mmCIF file of all heavy atoms in Angstrom:
data_model
loop_
_atom_site.group_PDB
_atom_site.id
_atom_site.type_symbol
_atom_site.label_atom_id
_atom_site.label_comp_id
_atom_site.label_asym_id
_atom_site.label_seq_id
_atom_site.Cartn_x
_atom_site.Cartn_y
_atom_site.Cartn_z
ATOM 1 N N TYR A 11 2.128 15.166 -15.780
ATOM 2 C CA TYR A 11 3.184 14.543 -16.583
ATOM 3 C C TYR A 11 3.363 15.359 -17.856
ATOM 4 O O TYR A 11 2.380 15.624 -18.565
ATOM 5 C CB TYR A 11 2.796 13.118 -16.969
ATOM 6 C CG TYR A 11 2.781 12.136 -15.816
ATOM 7 C CD1 TYR A 11 1.581 11.731 -15.241
ATOM 8 C CD2 TYR A 11 3.965 11.585 -15.318
ATOM 9 C CE1 TYR A 11 1.556 10.816 -14.192
ATOM 10 C CE2 TYR A 11 3.950 10.667 -14.273
ATOM 11 C CZ TYR A 11 2.741 10.285 -13.723
ATOM 12 O OH TYR A 11 2.712 9.378 -12.700
ATOM 13 N N TYR A 12 4.576 15.757 -18.130
ATOM 14 C CA TYR A 12 4.866 16.465 -19.383
ATOM 15 C C TYR A 12 5.640 15.504 -20.280
ATOM 16 O O TYR A 12 6.827 15.285 -20.072
ATOM 17 C CB TYR A 12 5.692 17.727 -19.122
ATOM 18 C CG TYR A 12 4.965 18.745 -18.271
ATOM 19 C CD1 TYR A 12 5.209 18.844 -16.910
ATOM 20 C CD2 TYR A 12 4.022 19.603 -18.847
ATOM 21 C CE1 TYR A 12 4.532 19.770 -16.126
ATOM 22 C CE2 TYR A 12 3.348 20.528 -18.078
ATOM 23 C CZ TYR A 12 3.599 20.611 -16.711
ATOM 24 O OH TYR A 12 2.934 21.520 -15.940
ATOM 25 N N GLY A 13 4.935 14.925 -21.231
ATOM 26 C CA GLY A 13 5.603 14.001 -22.149
ATOM 27 C C GLY A 13 5.915 14.732 -23.440
ATOM 28 O O GLY A 13 5.949 15.954 -23.490
ATOM 29 N N GLN A 16 0.818 15.802 -25.267
ATOM 30 C CA GLN A 16 0.068 16.678 -24.368
ATOM 31 C C GLN A 16 0.450 16.477 -22.897
ATOM 32 O O GLN A 16 0.854 15.385 -22.509
ATOM 33 C CB GLN A 16 -1.409 16.329 -24.501
ATOM 34 C CG GLN A 16 -2.243 17.475 -25.032
ATOM 35 C CD GLN A 16 -3.710 17.077 -25.085
ATOM 36 O OE1 GLN A 16 -4.062 15.902 -25.136
ATOM 37 N NE2 GLN A 16 -4.575 18.057 -25.083
ATOM 38 N N VAL A 18 -0.410 15.698 -19.136
ATOM 39 C CA VAL A 18 -1.481 14.956 -18.458
ATOM 40 C C VAL A 18 -1.498 15.360 -16.980
ATOM 41 O O VAL A 18 -0.524 15.110 -16.262
ATOM 42 C CB VAL A 18 -1.258 13.427 -18.567
ATOM 43 C CG1 VAL A 18 -2.354 12.673 -17.823
ATOM 44 C CG2 VAL A 18 -1.194 12.990 -20.010
ATOM 45 N N GLU A 19 -2.608 15.983 -16.559
ATOM 46 C CA GLU A 19 -2.724 16.336 -15.146
ATOM 47 C C GLU A 19 -3.300 15.127 -14.410
ATOM 48 O O GLU A 19 -4.504 14.899 -14.427
ATOM 49 C CB GLU A 19 -3.630 17.566 -14.963
ATOM 50 C CG GLU A 19 -3.615 18.069 -13.531
ATOM 51 C CD GLU A 19 -4.574 19.238 -13.276
ATOM 52 O OE1 GLU A 19 -5.476 19.474 -14.107
ATOM 53 O OE2 GLU A 19 -4.424 19.899 -12.244
ATOM 54 N N ALA A 20 -2.434 14.342 -13.811
ATOM 55 C CA ALA A 20 -2.878 13.097 -13.153
ATOM 56 C C ALA A 20 -3.522 13.423 -11.808
ATOM 57 O O ALA A 20 -4.565 12.881 -11.466
ATOM 58 C CB ALA A 20 -1.692 12.163 -12.958
ATOM 59 N N ILE A 21 -2.890 14.297 -11.030
ATOM 60 C CA ILE A 21 -3.409 14.653 -9.704
ATOM 61 C C ILE A 21 -3.560 16.170 -9.637
ATOM 62 O O ILE A 21 -2.622 16.902 -9.941
ATOM 63 C CB ILE A 21 -2.457 14.150 -8.597
ATOM 64 C CG1 ILE A 21 -2.454 12.620 -8.570
ATOM 65 C CG2 ILE A 21 -2.863 14.698 -7.239
ATOM 66 C CD1 ILE A 21 -1.503 12.017 -7.561
ATOM 67 N N GLY A 38 -10.044 4.208 -5.933
ATOM 68 C CA GLY A 38 -10.452 5.147 -6.961
ATOM 69 C C GLY A 38 -10.488 4.423 -8.276
ATOM 70 O O GLY A 38 -9.922 3.335 -8.401
ATOM 71 N N PRO A 39 -11.171 5.002 -9.274
ATOM 72 C CA PRO A 39 -11.242 4.327 -10.563
ATOM 73 C C PRO A 39 -9.850 4.173 -11.166
ATOM 74 O O PRO A 39 -8.925 4.902 -10.805
ATOM 75 C CB PRO A 39 -12.097 5.268 -11.421
ATOM 76 C CG PRO A 39 -12.396 6.466 -10.610
ATOM 77 C CD PRO A 39 -11.844 6.295 -9.246
ATOM 78 N N SER A 40 -9.741 3.222 -12.078
ATOM 79 C CA SER A 40 -8.472 3.007 -12.751
ATOM 80 C C SER A 40 -8.087 4.282 -13.514
ATOM 81 O O SER A 40 -8.938 4.943 -14.104
ATOM 82 C CB SER A 40 -8.657 1.793 -13.643
ATOM 83 O OG SER A 40 -7.860 1.864 -14.737
ATOM 84 N N GLY A 41 -6.824 4.648 -13.424
ATOM 85 C CA GLY A 41 -6.353 5.878 -14.075
ATOM 86 C C GLY A 41 -6.547 7.122 -13.225
ATOM 87 O O GLY A 41 -6.277 8.237 -13.665
ATOM 88 N N ALA A 42 -7.014 6.933 -11.973
ATOM 89 C CA ALA A 42 -7.288 8.086 -11.112
ATOM 90 C C ALA A 42 -6.020 8.672 -10.495
ATOM 91 O O ALA A 42 -6.068 9.712 -9.854
ATOM 92 C CB ALA A 42 -8.257 7.687 -9.993
ATOM 93 N N GLY A 43 -4.909 7.980 -10.663
ATOM 94 C CA GLY A 43 -3.665 8.539 -10.127
ATOM 95 C C GLY A 43 -3.211 7.889 -8.836
ATOM 96 O O GLY A 43 -2.398 8.453 -8.111
ATOM 97 N N LYS A 44 -3.690 6.659 -8.563
ATOM 98 C CA LYS A 44 -3.326 5.989 -7.312
ATOM 99 C C LYS A 44 -1.820 5.687 -7.279
ATOM 100 O O LYS A 44 -1.150 5.946 -6.285
ATOM 101 C CB LYS A 44 -4.134 4.694 -7.147
ATOM 102 C CG LYS A 44 -5.645 4.936 -7.075
ATOM 103 C CD LYS A 44 -6.421 3.663 -6.830
ATOM 104 C CE LYS A 44 -6.405 2.669 -7.983
ATOM 105 N NZ LYS A 44 -7.036 3.176 -9.229
ATOM 106 N N THR A 45 -1.337 5.137 -8.393
ATOM 107 C CA THR A 45 0.091 4.805 -8.453
ATOM 108 C C THR A 45 0.940 6.077 -8.430
ATOM 109 O O THR A 45 1.983 6.131 -7.780
ATOM 110 C CB THR A 45 0.382 3.968 -9.720
ATOM 111 O OG1 THR A 45 -0.356 2.753 -9.603
ATOM 112 C CG2 THR A 45 1.844 3.643 -9.858
ATOM 113 N N THR A 46 0.456 7.102 -9.128
ATOM 114 C CA THR A 46 1.166 8.382 -9.125
ATOM 115 C C THR A 46 1.276 8.911 -7.699
ATOM 116 O O THR A 46 2.349 9.343 -7.264
ATOM 117 C CB THR A 46 0.411 9.397 -10.012
ATOM 118 O OG1 THR A 46 0.300 8.851 -11.333
ATOM 119 C CG2 THR A 46 1.126 10.728 -10.069
ATOM 120 N N LEU A 47 0.175 8.850 -6.954
ATOM 121 C CA LEU A 47 0.173 9.303 -5.562
ATOM 122 C C LEU A 47 1.212 8.531 -4.746
ATOM 123 O O LEU A 47 2.024 9.112 -4.026
ATOM 124 C CB LEU A 47 -1.230 9.110 -4.953
ATOM 125 C CG LEU A 47 -1.316 9.184 -3.426
ATOM 126 C CD1 LEU A 47 -0.980 10.585 -2.936
ATOM 127 C CD2 LEU A 47 -2.704 8.777 -2.932
ATOM 128 N N ARG A 49 3.806 6.870 -5.738
ATOM 129 C CA ARG A 49 5.198 7.156 -6.151
ATOM 130 C C ARG A 49 5.663 8.491 -5.590
ATOM 131 O O ARG A 49 6.828 8.641 -5.222
ATOM 132 C CB ARG A 49 5.308 7.164 -7.678
ATOM 133 C CG ARG A 49 5.063 5.802 -8.267
ATOM 134 C CD ARG A 49 5.986 5.517 -9.445
ATOM 135 N NE ARG A 49 5.910 4.119 -9.789
ATOM 136 C CZ ARG A 49 5.372 3.647 -10.898
ATOM 137 N NH1 ARG A 49 4.913 4.485 -11.799
ATOM 138 N NH2 ARG A 49 5.328 2.357 -11.118
ATOM 139 N N LEU A 55 8.962 10.059 -7.316
ATOM 140 C CA LEU A 55 8.470 10.959 -8.364
ATOM 141 C C LEU A 55 8.295 12.341 -7.722
ATOM 142 O O LEU A 55 7.637 12.446 -6.691
ATOM 143 C CB LEU A 55 7.109 10.413 -8.818
ATOM 144 C CG LEU A 55 6.520 10.800 -10.150
ATOM 145 C CD1 LEU A 55 7.437 10.352 -11.279
ATOM 146 C CD2 LEU A 55 5.149 10.130 -10.315
ATOM 147 N N ASP A 159 1.081 -0.928 -3.074
ATOM 148 C CA ASP A 159 0.423 -0.509 -4.307
ATOM 149 C C ASP A 159 -0.211 -1.715 -4.997
ATOM 150 O O ASP A 159 0.482 -2.471 -5.673
ATOM 151 C CB ASP A 159 1.437 0.165 -5.242
ATOM 152 C CG ASP A 159 0.761 0.762 -6.461
ATOM 153 O OD1 ASP A 159 -0.478 0.823 -6.504
ATOM 154 O OD2 ASP A 159 1.491 1.175 -7.393
ATOM 155 N N GLU A 160 -1.499 -1.910 -4.813
ATOM 156 C CA GLU A 160 -2.226 -3.051 -5.392
ATOM 157 C C GLU A 160 -1.427 -4.344 -5.248
ATOM 158 O O GLU A 160 -1.236 -5.064 -6.229
ATOM 159 C CB GLU A 160 -2.488 -2.788 -6.888
ATOM 160 C CG GLU A 160 -3.181 -1.480 -7.149
ATOM 161 C CD GLU A 160 -4.535 -1.648 -7.813
ATOM 162 O OE1 GLU A 160 -4.965 -2.790 -8.016
ATOM 163 O OE2 GLU A 160 -5.149 -0.617 -8.098
ATOM 164 N N VAL A 191 -3.002 1.013 -1.359
ATOM 165 C CA VAL A 191 -3.733 1.441 -2.549
ATOM 166 C C VAL A 191 -4.345 0.230 -3.244
ATOM 167 O O VAL A 191 -3.672 -0.773 -3.445
ATOM 168 C CB VAL A 191 -2.774 2.168 -3.520
ATOM 169 C CG1 VAL A 191 -3.392 2.305 -4.893
ATOM 170 C CG2 VAL A 191 -2.405 3.532 -2.970
ATOM 171 N N LEU A 208 -10.823 8.443 -4.211
ATOM 172 C CA LEU A 208 -10.332 9.463 -5.138
ATOM 173 C C LEU A 208 -11.363 9.746 -6.221
ATOM 174 O O LEU A 208 -12.098 8.852 -6.643
ATOM 175 C CB LEU A 208 -9.033 8.999 -5.816
ATOM 176 C CG LEU A 208 -7.857 8.664 -4.901
ATOM 177 C CD1 LEU A 208 -6.630 8.313 -5.742
ATOM 178 C CD2 LEU A 208 -7.545 9.830 -3.965
ATOM 179 N N ARG A 211 -9.779 11.542 -12.811
ATOM 180 C CA ARG A 211 -8.743 12.497 -13.177
ATOM 181 C C ARG A 211 -9.344 13.825 -13.667
ATOM 182 O O ARG A 211 -10.336 13.762 -14.375
ATOM 183 C CB ARG A 211 -7.904 11.856 -14.286
ATOM 184 C CG ARG A 211 -6.535 12.383 -14.425
ATOM 185 C CD ARG A 211 -5.688 11.364 -15.170
ATOM 186 N NE ARG A 211 -6.287 10.987 -16.454
ATOM 187 C CZ ARG A 211 -6.175 11.720 -17.544
ATOM 188 N NH1 ARG A 211 -5.525 12.852 -17.516
ATOM 189 N NH2 ARG A 211 -6.712 11.320 -18.670
ATOM 190 N N THR A 213 -7.270 14.372 -10.275
ATOM 191 C CA THR A 213 -7.708 13.760 -9.034
ATOM 192 C C THR A 213 -7.713 14.672 -7.805
ATOM 193 O O THR A 213 -6.763 15.405 -7.553
ATOM 194 C CB THR A 213 -6.802 12.541 -8.767
ATOM 195 O OG1 THR A 213 -6.868 11.720 -9.916
ATOM 196 C CG2 THR A 213 -7.258 11.772 -7.555
HETATM 197 P P1 ADP B 1 -4.004 4.465 -11.316
HETATM 198 O O1 ADP B 1 -2.878 3.892 -10.523
HETATM 199 O O2 ADP B 1 -5.092 5.038 -10.439
HETATM 200 O O3 ADP B 1 -4.568 3.541 -12.337
HETATM 201 P P2 ADP B 1 -1.939 6.143 -12.505
HETATM 202 O O4 ADP B 1 -1.313 6.907 -11.398
HETATM 203 O O5 ADP B 1 -1.207 4.953 -13.014
HETATM 204 O O6 ADP B 1 -3.435 5.747 -12.102
HETATM 205 O O7 ADP B 1 -2.184 7.134 -13.737
HETATM 206 C C1 ADP B 1 -2.893 8.353 -13.636
HETATM 207 C C2 ADP B 1 -2.916 9.070 -14.974
HETATM 208 O O8 ADP B 1 -1.605 9.537 -15.280
HETATM 209 C C3 ADP B 1 -3.347 8.178 -16.120
HETATM 210 O O9 ADP B 1 -4.129 8.958 -17.002
HETATM 211 C C4 ADP B 1 -2.046 7.785 -16.774
HETATM 212 O O10 ADP B 1 -2.233 7.548 -18.144
HETATM 213 C C5 ADP B 1 -1.184 8.999 -16.522
HETATM 214 N N1 ADP B 1 0.236 8.645 -16.405
HETATM 215 C C6 ADP B 1 0.773 7.775 -15.509
HETATM 216 N N2 ADP B 1 2.114 7.713 -15.659
HETATM 217 C C7 ADP B 1 2.439 8.546 -16.687
HETATM 218 C C8 ADP B 1 3.663 8.926 -17.337
HETATM 219 N N3 ADP B 1 4.840 8.438 -16.943
HETATM 220 N N4 ADP B 1 3.582 9.816 -18.360
HETATM 221 C C9 ADP B 1 2.404 10.322 -18.754
HETATM 222 N N5 ADP B 1 1.212 10.021 -18.181
HETATM 223 C C10 ADP B 1 1.223 9.135 -17.171
#
Side-chain angles (χ1 to χ4, degrees):
Y11 290 103
Y12 297 99
Q16 243 182 337
V18 178
E19 188 184 16
I21 293 177
S40 150
K44 299 183 292 297
T45 297
T46 302
L47 165 66
R49 294 218 168 111
L55 200 61
D159 187 10
E160 306 242 3
V191 165
L208 301 184
R211 203 160 54 81
T213 305

